[in-house]
Amino acid sequence: MNKQEKGAFSTLFQVVQGALIGLGAVLPGISGGVLCVIFGIYKPVMELLSNPIRNFKTHVPKLIPVIIGVAIGFLGIANLLSFFLERYPDPSVCLFVGLIGGMLPALFRQAGEQGRTKGSYISMAVAFVLVLSLLISLNLFSIRIQPSFGWYLFCGFCLALSVIAPGMSFSTLLMPLGLYTPFVDGLGHLDFGVLVPGGIGAVLTVIALAKLIDSLFQNHYSLAFHAIVGIVIAATIMIVPFGSFAASTGALVVNLICLVVGVVAALALDRFNSKFETN
């Protein structure tokens, strides 16, 4: 393989990596930020986001294939997800719950990469209780969130957070609020009423929080990551469609199969990630 062929193969590989990151950004249970870490591009991405003016010339040319791949993976899967969420809501959610549940061991393992302290578990417990209390309160008081420009700004915030905070999947925040399906549907159909506020929210989040979150993970990695684990667990509990399990025997079987498939797929992905890191 000559130098030119190697360069083309490297570029294609980066596009594939970007597509997987885009896929991870929109699929429930998978974090685009974690995949950035696995593929070794989290550091340059954070350097670019935290200081875009200084690092634009040096970082953007290297990341262009990845950026193209992210767009392909993100927009490509959004349409598919929108279709299944509309046609088969309960089985789809059960599949997503399985994906999230299957990724939890890997997420917890990654949270402890720099050790665990008593404060790590306190951080996880506090985040779990706060988020669960908030979501239960929304349900008890029957607060229905109607998608709007402001809420799509929030969706953009969650989306950006899932990239700059490894382990945080934006779907775990949006699903309990009923915002995930309309947001993904809007993205898949290139609805500017969704794309514009979502994009604004994402950009503002990066500008406001990239340096802060990068510093937080650099200096308080264990506390920050365990808090994310607590948030993910609380949000996942709230999206489980418990009512559908009592609907009928057929629905119960289908939902359980989807749940198991999600867990198995997540564990298989984790195994692949482990081999990739080793290689």
Side-chain angles (χ1 to χ4, degrees), residues 38 106 109 267-279:
I38 291 168
R109 185 174 66 245
L267 293 175
L269 179 63
D270 180 41
R271 190 172 181 181
F272 167 78
N273 290 342
S274 300
K275 287 183 178 180
F276 191 93
E277 284 180 301
T278 302
N279 293 334

Tab-separated table of all heavy atoms in Angstrom, residues 38 106 109 267-279:
chain	number	residue	atom	x	y	z
A	38	ILE	N	-12.826	6.690	23.194
A	38	ILE	CA	-12.377	5.385	22.702
A	38	ILE	C	-11.534	5.539	21.437
A	38	ILE	O	-10.511	4.873	21.271
A	38	ILE	CB	-13.593	4.478	22.427
A	38	ILE	CG1	-14.257	4.083	23.751
A	38	ILE	CG2	-13.188	3.218	21.660
A	38	ILE	CD1	-15.613	3.430	23.581
A	106	ALA	N	-20.135	-0.642	31.848
A	106	ALA	CA	-18.994	0.034	31.225
A	106	ALA	C	-18.879	1.471	31.727
A	106	ALA	O	-17.779	1.979	31.969
A	106	ALA	CB	-19.146	0.020	29.702
A	109	ARG	N	-17.547	1.385	35.214
A	109	ARG	CA	-16.124	1.041	35.160
A	109	ARG	C	-15.298	2.257	34.748
A	109	ARG	O	-14.237	2.526	35.316
A	109	ARG	CB	-15.921	-0.101	34.164
A	109	ARG	CG	-14.490	-0.639	34.111
A	109	ARG	CD	-14.391	-1.866	33.222
A	109	ARG	NE	-14.664	-1.574	31.826
A	109	ARG	CZ	-15.693	-2.038	31.147
A	109	ARG	NH1	-16.582	-2.806	31.744
A	109	ARG	NH2	-15.866	-1.730	29.870
A	267	LEU	N	-23.705	-4.843	25.501
A	267	LEU	CA	-22.573	-5.617	26.022
A	267	LEU	C	-21.607	-5.991	24.895
A	267	LEU	O	-20.383	-5.978	25.084
A	267	LEU	CB	-23.072	-6.879	26.728
A	267	LEU	CG	-23.859	-6.649	28.031
A	267	LEU	CD1	-24.402	-7.972	28.561
A	267	LEU	CD2	-22.970	-5.986	29.089
A	268	ALA	N	-22.162	-6.302	23.711
A	268	ALA	CA	-21.316	-6.619	22.564
A	268	ALA	C	-20.511	-5.398	22.135
A	268	ALA	O	-19.319	-5.500	21.804
A	268	ALA	CB	-22.177	-7.122	21.408
A	269	LEU	N	-21.162	-4.222	22.146
A	269	LEU	CA	-20.463	-2.988	21.798
A	269	LEU	C	-19.357	-2.687	22.798
A	269	LEU	O	-18.256	-2.287	22.430
A	269	LEU	CB	-21.455	-1.822	21.742
A	269	LEU	CG	-20.860	-0.445	21.417
A	269	LEU	CD1	-20.244	-0.448	20.037
A	269	LEU	CD2	-21.929	0.646	21.511
A	270	ASP	N	-19.650	-2.921	24.078
A	270	ASP	CA	-18.640	-2.703	25.113
A	270	ASP	C	-17.445	-3.633	24.915
A	270	ASP	O	-16.290	-3.233	25.073
A	270	ASP	CB	-19.258	-2.929	26.500
A	270	ASP	CG	-18.249	-2.722	27.622
A	270	ASP	OD1	-17.457	-1.768	27.543
A	270	ASP	OD2	-18.250	-3.522	28.576
A	271	ARG	N	-17.733	-4.880	24.540
A	271	ARG	CA	-16.654	-5.835	24.287
A	271	ARG	C	-15.811	-5.399	23.100
A	271	ARG	O	-14.580	-5.491	23.121
A	271	ARG	CB	-17.249	-7.222	24.035
A	271	ARG	CG	-16.218	-8.337	24.001
A	271	ARG	CD	-16.888	-9.694	23.940
A	271	ARG	NE	-15.891	-10.753	23.929
A	271	ARG	CZ	-16.181	-12.046	23.861
A	271	ARG	NH1	-17.447	-12.431	23.806
A	271	ARG	NH2	-15.226	-12.948	23.836
A	272	PHE	N	-16.487	-4.922	22.036
A	272	PHE	CA	-15.767	-4.413	20.869
A	272	PHE	C	-14.903	-3.223	21.248
A	272	PHE	O	-13.753	-3.111	20.825
A	272	PHE	CB	-16.765	-4.002	19.778
A	272	PHE	CG	-16.169	-3.195	18.666
A	272	PHE	CD1	-15.421	-3.801	17.667
A	272	PHE	CD2	-16.337	-1.813	18.627
A	272	PHE	CE1	-14.849	-3.053	16.654
A	272	PHE	CE2	-15.779	-1.053	17.612
A	272	PHE	CZ	-15.032	-1.674	16.612
A	273	ASN	N	-15.470	-2.313	22.056
A	273	ASN	CA	-14.717	-1.131	22.490
A	273	ASN	C	-13.469	-1.535	23.270
A	273	ASN	O	-12.399	-0.948	23.095
A	273	ASN	CB	-15.600	-0.239	23.372
A	273	ASN	CG	-16.693	0.443	22.595
A	273	ASN	OD1	-16.619	0.529	21.368
A	273	ASN	ND2	-17.725	0.919	23.263
A	274	SER	N	-13.603	-2.549	24.138
A	274	SER	CA	-12.470	-3.010	24.944
A	274	SER	C	-11.366	-3.559	24.051
A	274	SER	O	-10.182	-3.283	24.247
A	274	SER	CB	-12.919	-4.104	25.932
A	274	SER	OG	-13.899	-3.592	26.798
A	275	LYS	N	-11.749	-4.332	23.028
A	275	LYS	CA	-10.750	-4.880	22.100
A	275	LYS	C	-10.099	-3.768	21.303
A	275	LYS	O	-8.898	-3.774	21.045
A	275	LYS	CB	-11.426	-5.871	21.137
A	275	LYS	CG	-11.798	-7.199	21.803
A	275	LYS	CD	-12.395	-8.149	20.779
A	275	LYS	CE	-12.721	-9.493	21.425
A	275	LYS	NZ	-13.312	-10.437	20.447
A	276	PHE	N	-10.919	-2.773	20.895
A	276	PHE	CA	-10.385	-1.649	20.127
A	276	PHE	C	-9.358	-0.880	20.939
A	276	PHE	O	-8.293	-0.517	20.445
A	276	PHE	CB	-11.535	-0.713	19.717
A	276	PHE	CG	-11.139	0.326	18.713
A	276	PHE	CD1	-11.307	0.093	17.353
A	276	PHE	CD2	-10.591	1.541	19.115
A	276	PHE	CE1	-10.922	1.062	16.418
A	276	PHE	CE2	-10.215	2.499	18.191
A	276	PHE	CZ	-10.394	2.247	16.843
A	277	GLU	N	-9.667	-0.641	22.234
A	277	GLU	CA	-8.746	0.076	23.106
A	277	GLU	C	-7.459	-0.710	23.289
A	277	GLU	O	-6.370	-0.150	23.301
A	277	GLU	CB	-9.403	0.314	24.472
A	277	GLU	CG	-10.429	1.426	24.464
A	277	GLU	CD	-11.061	1.631	25.822
A	277	GLU	OE1	-11.661	0.675	26.355
A	277	GLU	OE2	-10.942	2.733	26.361
A	278	THR	N	-7.588	-2.057	23.435
A	278	THR	CA	-6.403	-2.898	23.623
A	278	THR	C	-5.506	-2.847	22.394
A	278	THR	O	-4.283	-2.710	22.503
A	278	THR	CB	-6.826	-4.357	23.887
A	278	THR	OG1	-7.663	-4.380	25.043
A	278	THR	CG2	-5.624	-5.235	24.123
A	279	ASN	N	-6.133	-2.946	21.203
A	279	ASN	CA	-5.345	-2.903	19.978
A	279	ASN	C	-4.697	-1.556	19.782
A	279	ASN	O	-3.584	-1.478	19.259
A	279	ASN	CB	-6.251	-3.227	18.777
A	279	ASN	CG	-6.745	-4.668	18.804
A	279	ASN	OD1	-6.097	-5.516	19.369
A	279	ASN	ND2	-7.892	-4.922	18.187
